[in-house]
């Protein structure tokens, strides 16, 4: 369903219109991400300045309603040596979360080079957010011979590799209070990935232990302790939420995917109504509110409203 907007306005980046659109769907607070097709600059200094300018825009956007809008500033992961300073700068300005684009990371996620960033995020109690997408500068494939639709068929799972990298790289073992959120990735495919990570421990890690990393917990335990994953319209995932063996009932959070046409804004009720009633309040509001340290308004404590992850 379309809505009328003021002439010349850009609703996702106009905080006044954005908040009005959240109210239309009964959404109290939102975690939002920028575009996934990021530019790729040959001039490294220009690229660094673009990170900084973009983050300043996001921080200004957040400032219009700090308890309702969380647009995570993007860490300059192409330049790992600059990440800690930028993290400290944006957190000093009030950032409640930061985005780490795993596709652009200059080093593997378990590389010790990232540890100062993980330690800072852990100490500041600021979660790391990872969104689906692709490497900077990567265009969408052409809409011919099935290439475009094949791409979008797999886009939710593109971020899957980062999950075991965080775990088997020892990041969560070394930083037990670090929180990692995966956005817009859906959850129907997650049970097998989590099961298969545990299987690697049973089938491989005991025979061929990593000389650099020792895990005291099973991968599924790290996932439950420190990760969340957002979904929108995911019929498979919703059917698995109340199945203990599927893991995801303890890590899923719901989002409406505004302003995408494929999302469920401005009327999310047909989708959220399918969430098992015993888990609905937790998945639609409470879990995300705890994870992002959002103090809910008085009406939310009565079970109304929503806390979602969107872009």
């Amino acid at each position: 369903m379309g809505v009328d907007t003021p002439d010349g306005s850009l609703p996702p980046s106009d905080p006044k219109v954005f908040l009005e659109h959240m109210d239309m769907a009964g959404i109290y607070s939102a975690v939002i991400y920028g575009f996934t097709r990021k530019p790729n600059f040959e001039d490294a200094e220009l690229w660094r300045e673009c990170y900084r300018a973009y983050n300043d825009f996001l921080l200004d956007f957040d400032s219009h309603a700090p308890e309702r809008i969380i647009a995570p500033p993007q860490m300059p992961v192409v330049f790992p040596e600059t990440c800690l300073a930028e993290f400290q700068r944006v957190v000093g300005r009030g950032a409640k979360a930061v985005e780490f684009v795993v596709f652009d990371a200059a080093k593997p996620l378990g590389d010790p080079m990232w540890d100062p960033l993980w330690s800072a995020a852990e100490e500041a109690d600021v979660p790391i957010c990872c969104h689906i997408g692709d490497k900077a500068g990567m265009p969408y494939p052409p809409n011919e011979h099935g290439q475009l639709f094949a791409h979008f068929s797999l886009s939710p799972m593109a971020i899957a590799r980062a999950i075991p990298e965080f775990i088997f790289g020892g990041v969560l073992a070394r930083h037990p209070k670090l929180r990692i959120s995966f956005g817009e990735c859906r959850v129907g495919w997650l049970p097998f990935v989590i099961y298969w990570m545990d299987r690697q421990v049973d089938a491989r890690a005991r025979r061929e232990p990593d000389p650099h990393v020792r895990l005291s917990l099973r991968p599924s335990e790290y996932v439950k302790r420190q990760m969340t994953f957002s979904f929108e319209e995911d019929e498979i995932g919703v059917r698995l939420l109340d199945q203990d063996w599927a893991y995801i009932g303890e890590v899923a959070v719901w989002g409406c995917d505004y302003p995408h046409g494929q999302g469920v804004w401005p009327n999310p009720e047909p989708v959220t109504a399918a969430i098992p009633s015993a888990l609905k309040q937790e998945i639609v509001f409470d879990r995300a509110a705890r994870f992002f340290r959002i103090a809910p308004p008085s009406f939310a404590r009565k079970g109304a409203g929503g806390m979602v992850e969107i872009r």
Side-chain angles (χ1 to χ4, degrees):
M1 182 181 96
V3 296
D4 293 329
T5 58
D7 289 342
S9 69
L10 298 172
S13 57
D14 181 327
K16 181 178 183 297
V17 178
F18 181 74
L19 289 167
E20 290 173 355
H21 284 186
M22 288 170 62
D23 291 341
M24 288 175 60
I27 294 170
Y28 170 65
S29 190
V31 177
I32 62 175
Y33 295 90
F35 66 122
T36 61
R37 321 312 293 182
K38 301 166 295 299
N40 185 358
F41 301 101
E42 293 184 5
D43 186 323
E45 187 58 31
L46 173 62
W47 204 340
R48 292 189 187 95
E49 286 304 310
C50 285
Y51 271 118
R52 186 181 181 90
Y54 178 61
N55 289 345
D56 285 342
F57 164 76
L58 294 178
L59 291 165
D60 290 342
F61 188 69
D62 290 350
S63 70
H64 287 271
E67 289 301 311
R68 299 194 63 191
I69 303 174
I70 299 177
Q74 200 173 95
M75 294 298 92
V77 298
V78 178
F79 312 104
E81 69 282 357
T82 70
C83 280
L84 180 59
E86 182 64 359
F87 176 86
Q88 293 170 332
R89 185 182 78 85
V90 299
V91 170
R93 284 198 53 191
K96 293 185 176 180
V98 298
E99 182 179 0
F100 188 101
V101 181
V102 297
F103 308 103
D104 294 343
K107 296 282 186 178
L109 302 183
D111 192 290
M113 173 171 276
W114 300 114
D115 276 340
L117 176 63
W118 310 142
S119 294
E122 191 177 27
E123 182 178 353
D125 195 27
V126 169
I128 300 290
C129 297
C130 306
H131 188 257
I132 63 172
D134 214 324
K135 192 173 179 62
M138 185 70 69
Y140 286 132
N143 187 14
E144 55 187 35
H145 307 299
Q147 295 179 73
L148 186 64
F149 299 114
H151 168 84
F152 283 116
S153 294
L154 294 177
S155 60
M157 287 85 82
I159 204 156
R161 183 181 182 89
I163 303 169
E165 282 196 13
F166 275 121
I167 293 171
F168 288 111
V171 176
L172 304 189
R174 295 193 299 273
H175 305 278
K177 295 182 179 180
L178 181 67
R179 288 170 288 138
I180 309 289
S181 176
F182 293 91
E184 205 187 349
C185 60
R186 290 72 168 183
V187 295
W189 54 272
L190 267 177
F192 178 78
V193 172
I194 297 172
Y195 156 79
W196 200 244
M197 286 193 295
D198 279 356
R199 177 69 181 271
Q200 301 318 300
V201 172
D202 297 334
R204 295 178 182 272
R206 293 194 174 100
R207 295 199 318 265
E208 310 169 52
D210 187 317
H212 302 289
V213 177
R214 291 288 186 272
L215 301 181
S216 59
L217 302 176
R218 294 175 69 77
S220 57
E221 294 175 296
Y222 286 112
V223 170
K224 292 178 182 180
R225 187 178 77 178
Q226 294 174 251
M227 292 180 166
T228 63
F229 305 82
S230 78
F231 71 97
E232 300 80 47
E233 190 169 8
D234 182 347
E235 293 184 16
I236 302 299
V238 166
R239 293 183 184 186
L240 296 175
L241 287 173
D242 60 358
Q243 302 297 310
D244 291 341
W245 56 266
Y247 311 101
I248 58 177
E250 297 180 58
V251 297
V253 294
W254 176 80
C256 75
D257 202 23
Y258 167 91
H260 285 173
Q262 68 182 16
V264 295
W265 176 88
N267 181 25
E269 183 59 27
V271 173
T272 58
I275 298 173
S277 58
L279 293 172
K280 183 174 179 179
Q281 176 71 18
E282 175 72 1
I283 289 173
V284 172
F285 190 95
D286 291 346
R287 178 171 295 148
R290 288 194 309 271
F291 192 90
F292 290 100
R293 306 296 191 247
I294 296 297
S298 58
F299 70 78
R301 296 191 185 96
K302 299 177 184 177
M307 168 75 183
V308 303
E309 186 154 1
I310 64 178
R311 70 174 294 276

